[in-house]
Amino acid sequence: MSVKTETYQYQNRLADYCRSGKLNGALPLSREEALPQYRRLVFNVVKNTLEQAFPITQQVLTNEQWDELLFRFFLEHDCQTPQVWKLPAELCSYVIENQISEEIELPWLDELLWFEWLEIEVHTMPDIDAGPVSDEGSLLNDIPVLNPEYRLEKLSYPFHLFPVKEAAEKRGEYFVLLYREPESGKVHFMALAAIHAYFIEQLSAGEQTIEELIRDTAEKISSVLPESLLQQAMPFFEELLKNRVILGFRPNENAN
Amino acid sequence: MKNEINIGLGLRRDIIEEFLDREVIQPDFIEFAPENWIGMGGYWGKKIRQAVEKYPVTCHGLSLSLGSPEELDYRFMKELKSFLDDNQVEIFSEHLSYTKCANAHLYDLLPIPFREDAVKHVVRRIREAQDFLERPIAIENVSYYTAVAAEMDEATFISSIVEESGCQLLLDVNNVYVNAFNHGYDAKEFIRQMPLDKVAYIHMAGHEKVSPDLIIDTHGEAIIDPVYQLFDYTASLMELVPVLLERDFNFPAAADLKREMNQLRKIATKHWRKVHVSQD
Ligand SMILES: [Fe+2]
């Protein structure tokens, strides 16, 4: 620290005041009546950012719950990101770390916040190069290239399928794929069966053809024949190709 | 930006299409906050790349927090530096304020105490940041609504920092007007006290009067006549620099923004025509 302790304290007191709305200690001001403007301006930036990011959560909480959550977050949490649009991710972590869902008896709150943030995250995340992709190929026998701009999530509440109140009653195990369409940048959701989530995880390694994947999987499950698994699963892979979750095929190196 | 009259406009997400189609607004350059775009991919990443290809760029930082009483954030500065390099940013500016304190960002501009130890501290931080970013920084005079523990006046505070750090000045003429109104000093005299030979560029904007004796610097309204007049006065005292119109929300029709830019161009031309290398 290279300002004098006194100056440091004044700077700190003003910042604390902006976070809490309370002034602790002396702060010599030329216009005392203007001080609340700072609390208002600072808090509004945070409030607007979080309300834009979490419209569903804001709607399902009561106004008191929502305001209290924002107030506590900004007071207790030291905001770390220099990029305010990434702040919603810090609210998600804050709520989990402080077990706020339990405290206010809304066990689904952690996940709802996370679910809302995920859409922003997938929409904004840095572009990822998928490597060489060929449009031509066999869905069964060539190695499919997965669109790398996705998140695969396991949820306890099906927020991607039902309105919050309904989803809150259906605790279970759900898988959802969020992916960014490369051309438009739009984010899409896809509800997945557990086995489909497994397929996507395997394909993301970019080493297997779908035929190999099915054969391996059938061996692991042992109660199913590869042929019938293939028949059941093919429409899913075709959908992935159509929706641009599979971008194409890894060009055959020997062909070059 | 060449040695000619340049009137720019702040690029914001809500009006980015108007910048890209160039149908109504054709600013000479654009400005945006790096924090809003660093690491941004997808739809918005594509849009900002298109804008950068079309226009010369200045960047106006938000989170470097030159006035913080603590250490600079080197991890962030590293990202900032590569962003400025990648986007061929011609001028980089930051606010003479602090937005981070006790390891927490506040995302708005708090006034630094106008004191000698703060001058020395900020000078050191500006030098450190300029060295690391390998480019000059233009610091902006900010609007403030109360001075905090002041031991000198604002003009002395700003000019000492510019002089001692060797940085440039981003002179926000609207902020001078707002501060002169809120704190009861003479705006023209304040302008005369500024190191006008160090000005890298000028900001112009609108504001909002929230009570009979308090103006808040909102960037949500059109520029008012007295601020145009103060710009006219400022331009008469100094050499040609680029001028940027800031508008952050409550966006009017593109034609209205164009009208404001035309008005700025008219004033700039009146004072700076002699060095204006006309292309038409
Ligand atoms: Fe400004």
Side-chain angles (χ1 to χ4, degrees), chain A residues 15-143:
Chain A
D16 275 351
Y17 168 78
C18 290
R19 288 176 65 179
S20 66
K22 290 197 192 88
L23 191 56
N24 287 316
L27 191 60
L29 303 171
S30 65
R31 290 194 71 171
E32 249 169 63
E33 80 285 2
L35 185 65
Q37 297 292 341
Y38 279 106
R39 162 71 180 166
R40 182 180 68 81
L41 291 166
V42 164
F43 192 65
N44 274 353
V45 174
V46 171
K47 190 173 155 75
N48 291 341
T49 303
L50 297 174
E51 291 186 349
Q52 257 177 44
F54 301 115
I56 306 173
T57 308
Q58 191 197 351
Q59 209 189 0
V60 294
L61 296 190
T62 64
N63 288 344
E64 293 74 40
Q65 282 173 326
W66 177 251
D67 290 345
E68 171 73 10
L69 177 61
L70 298 196
F71 178 83
R72 275 180 59 181
F73 168 68
F74 193 51
L75 178 66
E76 293 171 3
H77 171 75
D78 293 342
C79 298
Q80 291 301 296
T81 177
Q83 299 181 268
V84 72
W85 57 278
K86 293 182 180 173
L87 189 62
E90 294 185 24
L91 179 67
C92 294
S93 315
Y94 169 83
V95 167
I96 293 171
E97 279 159 24
N98 292 281
Q99 301 177 343
I100 292 184
S101 296
E102 286 82 2
E103 195 188 307
I104 61 174
E105 294 178 348
L106 299 172
W108 40 264
L109 181 64
D110 295 354
E111 213 169 76
L112 179 60
L113 286 166
W114 178 240
F115 183 70
E116 288 202 84
W117 166 247
L118 265 183
E119 185 176 356
I120 302 174
E121 202 203 355
V122 174
H123 189 247
T124 56
M125 67 189 192
D127 298 342
I128 304 170
D129 184 8
V133 186
S134 164
D135 291 343
E136 306 289 317
S138 147
L139 187 55
L140 201 55
N141 298 310
D142 283 312
I143 294 177

Side-chain angles (χ1 to χ4, degrees), chain A residues 1-4 6-8 10-12 14-15 18-19 27-31 34 37-38 41-42 45 74 78-85 87 123-127 180 182-184, chain B residues 35-36 38-44 46 49 63 67 69 76 98 101-111 113 115 117-118 121 124 144-149 182-183 213-214 216:
Chain A
M1 188 171 65
S2 59
V3 285
K4 287 182 188 156
E6 193 185 45
T7 306
Y8 175 78
Y10 291 145
Q11 288 197 263
N12 226 351
L14 176 60
C18 290
R19 288 176 65 179
L27 191 60
L29 303 171
S30 65
R31 290 194 71 171
Q37 297 292 341
Y38 279 106
L41 291 166
V42 164
V45 174
F74 193 51
D78 293 342
C79 298
Q80 291 301 296
T81 177
Q83 299 181 268
V84 72
W85 57 278
L87 189 62
H123 189 247
T124 56
M125 67 189 192
D127 298 342
R180 189 162 82 192
E183 289 73 24
S184 68
Chain B
E35 287 82 354
N36 292 342
I38 288 174
M40 180 77 80
Y43 177 83
W44 290 113
K46 225 177 264 178
R49 282 194 298 277
S63 294
F76 169 60
Y98 68 111
C101 194
N103 188 35
H105 282 278
L106 293 142
Y107 309 110
D108 212 337
L109 313 172
L110 304 191
R115 306 179 130 213
D117 61 330
H121 177 66
R124 208 159 27 234
Y144 64 102
Y145 309 113
T146 170
V148 177
N182 287 340
H183 306 293
D213 63 350
L214 188 69
I216 300 286

